[in-house]
Every structure is written in C-alpha cells, then in structure tokens.
Amino acid sequence: MRPTPPNVLGVDDAPFPRPHRGDVLVVGTIFSRTRLDGVLTTRVRRDGVNSTERIAQMLLRSPFLEHVRAVLLQGIAVAGFNVVDIHGLHARLGIPVLVVARRPPDLVAIRRALLERVPGGKRKWRLIERAGAMEPLAGVLVQRVGIERDDAAQLLHACRLHGALPEALRVAHLIAGAMVTGTSRGRA
C-alpha cells in the first residue's frame, strides 16, 4: 500500500490591473493529495519585497501548520515582481519549497525588467539566480529546495488530479481569480 502523501500548501496570486500599485491578494490552498482541506489568504505589495515573510506568516498563523509538509508556488514571484526567497522560506518554515511552472520563464525579459524598471531589481534577480535553473520533473518545470528530486517527483504526481499542475496550485489560481474578479478562470 502506498503511503498517503503529506499535506501541501499551494500558493498563487490574484489578478490585478496593470496600473495597480497597492497590495495584491495571495491565496493558499491546503491539500491532502487531491482533497481540499483549507484556504488561506494574505496580501503582498505589488513589486515589493514582503512575499517571503507574508507567505510564511500565512502558514505559521494557520491551524494547518503542523500538517503541511511542503509549499508549492505557482512561479517564483507574486504580485508582479515580489520575488519569493525560496531558500529563506524553506529556512523559516523548515519544510521543502517547490516552484512549479508549466512553461519555462523568459529569463532574459525578466532580468531586463528587474534591472531596468523594478526597485531592488538586482537583489530580486539574485534570488532568482540562487533558486537555480528550472528542471523538468513530473510533467512540469520545478525549482526546489529541501527535497530530493525523486521525492519531489513523487509528491507532484500524488497531488495531481487533472493535468500537470498539482491540485493545490490549480485551485489556488481559481479561488484567487474568483475573489478579485467575481469568477474563476481556468482551462475548461
């Protein structure tokens, strides 16, 4: 009999209009395999520097803390260019952190935007570099800290139901969109 995978926290940000300069909603979903067990929210500054701490606090202040065994991020940045320090988040929470993407990011464009247009862009670019290259794993691209490749692949496979993304990320995306726009947007 296969062991039941631990609960994961899936994190995604809500959509926001391009000229928006305030805080942006971030949604976290707690999943056990493919079952939704809880929903958390926080807010982070658009293009700011508080995403790592806000995501950590969102989980640390929740009743789910003792059950969550990994954090899954839908991209390394939320709210525009509020880059998550995945090594810092791992150290703060003591659990693995995985950045998950369907497609490779345009690193040339991201670097240019950070260095030319975003306050603190050099520091944010260093966080992206420190996270390492994305690697193909379990049908998606992943950056990971605190978890071995094989264990990460098993976790990702166990947490999927429809498509390549883990349910925690798919549902966080749907909830975040609905909370801001009134309706969810996803693949039909």
Side-chain angles (χ1 to χ4, degrees), residues 79-90:
F81 284 116
N82 196 326
V83 177
V84 179
D85 176 355
I86 65 171
H87 291 276
L89 187 60
H90 167 65

Side-chain angles (χ1 to χ4, degrees), residues 5-181:
N7 286 3
V8 298
L9 168 64
V11 178
D12 198 10
D13 59 348
F16 55 91
R18 192 171 276 251
H20 179 76
R21 292 289 168 226
D23 287 346
V24 175
L25 177 70
V26 172
V27 171
T29 57
I30 307 296
F31 268 77
S32 176
R33 190 178 286 265
T34 58
R35 183 190 72 217
L36 177 64
D37 287 337
V39 178
L40 306 171
T41 63
T42 192
R43 293 191 157 290
V44 302
R45 177 66 58 186
R46 162 121 190 239
D47 296 337
V49 295
N50 63 348
S51 60
T52 305
E53 183 57 26
R54 291 287 174 93
I55 292 168
Q57 285 299 318
M58 179 173 67
L59 180 57
L60 290 169
R61 293 180 178 159
S62 81
F64 306 105
L65 175 62
E66 68 184 76
H67 304 289
V68 172
R69 298 294 176 251
V71 176
L72 309 177
L73 303 172
Q74 179 107 357
I76 198 164
V78 293
F81 284 116
N82 196 326
V83 177
V84 179
D85 176 355
I86 65 171
H87 291 276
L89 187 60
H90 167 65
R92 182 92 160 85
L93 297 174
I95 58 177
V97 177
L98 292 87
V99 177
V100 180
R102 285 188 179 112
R103 294 175 297 283
D106 184 346
L107 293 175
V108 172
I110 292 169
R111 183 177 188 275
R112 184 180 322 116
L114 283 172
L115 298 181
E116 294 176 6
R117 296 194 305 258
V118 178
K122 283 183 181 179
R123 178 187 166 279
K124 293 175 183 187
W125 179 248
R126 283 194 302 271
L127 290 175
I128 293 170
E129 287 182 314
R130 183 173 179 225
M134 296 201 93
E135 61 183 325
L137 190 63
V140 291
L141 296 169
V142 177
Q143 290 165 302
R144 59 190 165 81
V145 62
I147 188 169
E148 295 297 322
R149 180 179 170 81
D150 289 345
D151 293 335
Q154 286 180 342
L155 179 71
L156 292 169
H157 280 298
C159 294
R160 291 192 320 212
L161 184 59
H162 304 288
L165 282 182
E167 282 298 286
L169 292 177
R170 192 181 74 78
V171 173
H173 175 79
L174 294 172
I175 292 170
M179 290 180 72
V180 170
T181 66

